[in-house]
Amino acid sequence: MKHGYLLVMGLVLASFAGQGRACVHPNDIYYWTDMRDAQHYQFDEALNCDDLPLETLETTLVSLGRIGGEETVGKITPYLQHDNSQIRYAAAFALGIAKVPSAGSAIVKALNTEKDPDVQYRLALSLGNMAYVSPSKADPSAQQVLTQIINHDDSTQKIRGAIHGLMILATFYRDQIKSFDHESAALDIQRILTFLRNQETQLETSYLLARTSLLDSDNLPEFLEALPDLAPTAKANLIRALAKTKQRQILPTLIQHLDSEHIGVRVNAIRSLANFPSNPVASATVLQALAYDDVISQVTALKTIKKDWLQSSELLENVKAKLQHSNSWIQSEAMQALIRADKGSEKLAEQWLESKDPNHQRASIAYFVQQKQTERLKALAKSEQEIIANGAKKALTPEPETANEASKTDDALPQLPAIVELETTKGIITIELFADTPYTSANFIELIDNGFYNDTYFHRVIPNFVAQGGSKVGDGTGNVDYSIREELSYRSHLPGTVGMATLGKDTGGAQFFINTAPNIHLDSNYTIFGKVIDGMGVAIKLEQNDKVIKAKTLTRK
């Protein structure tokens, strides 16, 4: 990366100006972190410096965690016993993102002695994030430790961290967790209900319920009773959890919330109908959602439709009618619904092969991929329409998506924080880029200044989740030819935060996402490098393959 306005390494990074000059400067720490060189003398110099500012020591510990690996654990672990809670918090976070199993026992030990509630929260979350499994069968795993905290502890923040950690464990490490019916993994459902009703633990508890199978016919009535009093996001999550039980008495609740003003509640009520594939009430309710005026309800309903539901002539005709809708996202999802039921229109698929609209192209190639006609796919692989060619090639020779080679670490950084503006087809979104994710922010600024984001697509828009952009083509392809490294932080994936899309550790590039809902299951796993400071209403309205017309840097603080 090259910047005409770069400041020479070690001079200025606004939020750290004047700090740590006696030993090391934070910029130097950031540089060697991006180089992934935990053995560089700057780290030892920082850790052994008597007059190092606490903020720089905190940066050093977090940076070591970003590098990860066994060599960093020995440097970080002693700071779990530091006399300053801010530093213990940083050490707990760093070990959690380093994801080295051998650090788990130190976190478990610290959990047993730590008195500060905030540090307790971070220790418990980190234990789940690293998926700790003890080398000794006699010692408890992360799931068991977190379960014990949830079932027996009285510290609200420790419990909140344990719920959050267990939810992340269940999200990213499903193959490592025991069934919640197992004696050592059984959660006290009455305490879970209590935590759901508690404002301090409500969000994390609702996400845990949505991402696990803790509810059943026996405890269903109590959770249904709690539903009306919950905040909207927690209510949306509980609706998802209730529907996963597949109990028929949940259907009236879904119908009741179908036209909720809160997008998360509405979307989850519609999506949850898919849990009742054989129930005619569910298919009839999807028909109701298709009649709503808003795009999100219609798209969500079309995505929810099961193959067998289109045996209903009324629903089938309604879906076919959506092919003529004025909105191409709705048209595309209608075609996809018909394709799933082997009722796709070949005539329309042929027409859309020549369409300039990415939504049409994506639906068209989906039709021909389903037909599995090898010779036709070979011909389509030579199409001048990139989406068509990409889809045909992928169908003919499926290959996993891989990351590009890592970019060279710049020896200079832009002045941060900075403000950038995205002019989109829905309006203007203004984003502040953070100083403590300097290389991710610098990469974003460089791509803006080079014009990369002009005329790119928000190719992946999932209502009540994210709007992901940075695709030159409109199907997720057209990325840069290099990758950048993660810069994980304490920040949580709350609405308006801007994250870097990846294929795994240190595989970022140009694709980014705007969180349009609280996505706390992503915490400690995806870099948050900015936040929307104006235009969040625009971000919420983004639809699949809306465009960034032009991006520009406004200010560098």
Side-chain angles (χ1 to χ4, degrees), residues 193 197 219-230 238 242:
L193 181 59
R197 287 175 164 148
N219 53 47
L220 211 54
E222 295 174 289
F223 283 87
L224 270 171
E225 184 180 343
L227 186 65
D229 298 326
L230 301 182
L238 184 56
L242 291 166

Side-chain angles (χ1 to χ4, degrees), residues 241-303:
L242 291 166
K244 285 168 67 176
T245 66
K246 305 184 188 300
Q247 299 294 309
R248 286 181 298 175
Q249 62 262 45
I250 300 301
L251 279 168
T253 299
L254 302 184
I255 296 169
Q256 177 189 349
H257 291 91
L258 210 63
D259 59 353
S260 171
E261 293 183 1
H262 187 270
I263 183 175
V265 174
R266 185 166 78 250
V267 164
N268 275 10
I270 297 171
R271 285 177 182 160
S272 294
L273 294 168
N275 289 287
F276 305 91
S278 302
N279 195 309
V281 174
S283 57
T285 306
V286 159
L287 187 61
Q288 179 183 335
L290 281 177
Y292 293 150
D293 292 333
D294 67 291
V295 172
I296 287 176
S297 291
Q298 294 180 66
V299 164
T300 304
L302 289 165
K303 285 178 174 288

Side-chain angles (χ1 to χ4, degrees), residues 39-160:
Q39 295 301 318
H40 194 272
Y41 76 88
Q42 292 273 7
F43 289 103
D44 288 334
E45 190 168 330
L47 296 177
N48 293 321
C49 180
D50 292 333
D51 59 352
L52 191 74
L54 285 176
E55 290 82 359
T56 308
L57 176 56
E58 184 178 14
T59 296
T60 302
L61 293 170
V62 170
S63 295
L64 286 168
R66 288 174 176 175
I67 296 172
E70 290 282 355
E71 59 193 4
T72 67
V73 169
K75 297 176 186 288
I76 299 168
T77 301
Y79 290 89
L80 291 175
Q81 307 304 321
H82 198 275
D83 57 3
N84 184 284
S85 61
Q86 176 184 345
I87 300 305
R88 298 198 302 277
Y89 187 97
F93 172 78
L95 291 175
I97 63 173
K99 296 186 177 181
V100 176
S102 62
S105 58
I107 290 183
V108 173
K109 183 178 179 181
L111 267 170
N112 291 331
T113 59
E114 180 59 57
K115 302 301 182 185
D116 185 278
D118 291 334
V119 181
Q120 290 175 346
Y121 162 79
R122 183 54 68 177
L123 285 164
L125 194 164
S126 291
L127 192 66
N129 195 57
M130 69 165 55
Y132 169 64
V133 177
S134 171
S136 169
K137 292 184 178 180
D139 295 329
S141 66
Q143 183 181 4
Q144 291 169 310
V145 173
L146 299 177
T147 297
Q148 286 296 307
I149 292 172
I150 294 168
N151 286 346
H152 301 294
D153 212 284
D154 57 4
S155 166
T156 299
Q157 289 306 308
K158 186 189 284 191
I159 291 166
R160 176 171 160 256

Side-chain angles (χ1 to χ4, degrees), residues 194-204 229-231:
T194 299
F195 301 142
L196 181 65
R197 287 175 164 148
N198 185 331
Q199 291 293 325
E200 290 188 80
T201 51
Q202 185 175 102
L203 181 63
E204 290 80 8
D229 298 326
L230 301 182

Side-chain angles (χ1 to χ4, degrees), residues 10-12 16-26 45 49 51-53 56:
L11 289 180
V12 177
F16 294 109
Q19 295 182 4
R21 289 174 181 163
C23 300
V24 297
H25 192 280
E45 190 168 330
C49 180
D51 59 352
L52 191 74
T56 308

Side-chain angles (χ1 to χ4, degrees), residues 303-499:
K303 285 178 174 288
T304 301
I305 289 172
K306 294 292 187 181
K307 176 180 179 178
D308 291 345
W309 292 357
L310 291 182
Q311 293 177 8
S312 160
S313 58
E314 184 179 8
L315 181 56
L316 178 61
E317 290 308 310
N318 270 269
V319 172
K320 286 182 176 180
K322 297 297 180 184
L323 295 172
Q324 308 305 319
H325 198 280
S326 59
N327 183 289
S328 70
W329 191 14
I330 291 175
Q331 293 174 345
S332 171
E333 293 301 338
M335 177 67 115
Q336 298 275 14
L338 292 169
I339 291 169
R340 292 195 299 273
D342 300 318
K343 297 179 184 293
S345 168
E346 182 177 6
K347 180 180 178 181
L348 193 56
E350 290 283 359
Q351 292 177 7
W352 284 358
L353 283 175
E354 304 304 320
S355 172
K356 299 301 181 184
D357 190 305
N359 288 324
H360 289 165
Q361 293 176 30
R362 289 167 73 166
S364 175
I365 191 59
Y367 173 84
F368 290 104
V369 168
Q370 188 216 39
Q371 298 302 305
K372 297 180 181 179
Q373 298 176 3
T374 303
E375 293 306 313
R376 186 65 197 277
L377 289 173
K378 286 180 178 178
L380 292 175
K382 300 175 183 178
S383 171
E384 293 182 358
Q385 305 272 37
E386 286 189 71
I387 291 176
I388 301 299
N390 289 341
K393 291 173 185 176
K394 187 175 181 179
L396 289 167
T397 55
E399 294 180 359
E401 194 173 358
T402 57
N404 291 302
E405 184 177 348
S407 64
K408 180 182 180 296
T409 300
D410 275 337
D411 57 2
L413 288 169
Q415 194 167 354
L416 294 167
I419 308 296
V420 300
E421 179 183 280
L422 306 181
E423 180 188 350
T424 77
T425 43
K426 286 290 191 289
I428 292 175
I429 301 171
T430 307
I431 298 170
E432 177 183 346
L433 304 180
F434 298 136
D436 62 353
T437 54
Y439 287 96
T440 310
S441 296
N443 177 66
F444 200 70
I445 289 172
E446 181 180 356
L447 291 173
I448 286 176
D449 290 352
N450 288 343
F452 177 89
Y453 287 118
N454 298 344
D455 295 318
T456 56
Y457 295 91
F458 285 95
H459 61 281
R460 181 173 180 251
V461 178
I462 303 176
N464 195 47
F465 182 42
V466 299
Q468 184 170 325
S471 170
K472 281 286 190 183
V473 179
D475 61 352
T477 61
N479 205 338
V480 292
D481 60 359
Y482 61 85
S483 63
I484 62 172
R485 300 160 190 86
E486 288 176 344
E487 294 180 300
L488 302 175
S489 69
Y490 305 149
R491 294 187 182 89
S492 188
H493 285 263
L494 298 177
T497 53
V498 182

